[in-house]
Amino acid sequence: MSELQVIARYTAAAGKEDEVADLVVRLADASRAEPDNIDFTAYRQLDDPRRFVLLERYASREALDAHRDTPHFADLVVGRLIPRLDSRVVETYDVTDGQAGT
């Protein structure tokens, strides 16, 4: 099994930037506590505070599926974040052998 890298790009709806920022922090904290989460780092764009990028690494595809089945994903992403976004793009990549575990 190879590790999986997820890159999620969020654009908050106008006026929802700070709410999204708070929810992203809560999501990152909860996700890092998952047993097969390797890393979860979130960034807010300097010149556009509505834009966020989340870099997530999981031990396997199954670990990503498990992440998406957690109560915190249902609550924070589906229930609270998505309704406050203008756009959400999620990209998923297999990690090449030379990059796994770094």
Side-chain angles (χ1 to χ4, degrees):
M1 272 188 280
S2 68
E3 292 178 6
L4 213 62
Q5 178 69 46
V6 176
I7 303 170
R9 300 174 194 280
Y10 292 175
T11 302
K16 301 293 183 184
E17 303 91 332
D18 291 337
E19 290 177 55
V20 169
D22 290 341
L23 291 166
V24 164
V25 168
R26 292 178 59 191
L27 175 63
D29 289 343
S31 299
R32 283 188 206 107
E34 295 172 27
D36 290 322
N37 177 274
I38 296 168
D39 187 43
F40 195 117
T41 307
Y43 300 93
R44 191 171 187 176
Q45 188 168 323
L46 289 175
D47 60 351
D48 185 350
R50 293 179 54 218
R51 297 184 51 144
F52 299 81
V53 64
L54 288 62
L55 304 179
E56 310 169 42
R57 175 104 32 125
Y58 297 92
S60 65
R61 290 175 189 241
E62 292 78 15
L64 176 60
D65 291 341
H67 164 70
R68 291 179 173 162
D69 286 339
T70 61
H72 60 263
F73 186 89
D75 176 40
L76 296 171
V77 176
V78 177
R80 299 183 194 199
L81 276 165
I82 291 174
R84 290 168 172 82
L85 300 178
D86 277 346
S87 69
R88 176 176 175 256
V89 176
V90 179
E91 303 169 17
T92 308
Y93 301 90
D94 281 321
V95 177
T96 61
D97 290 340
Q99 296 297 313
T102 60

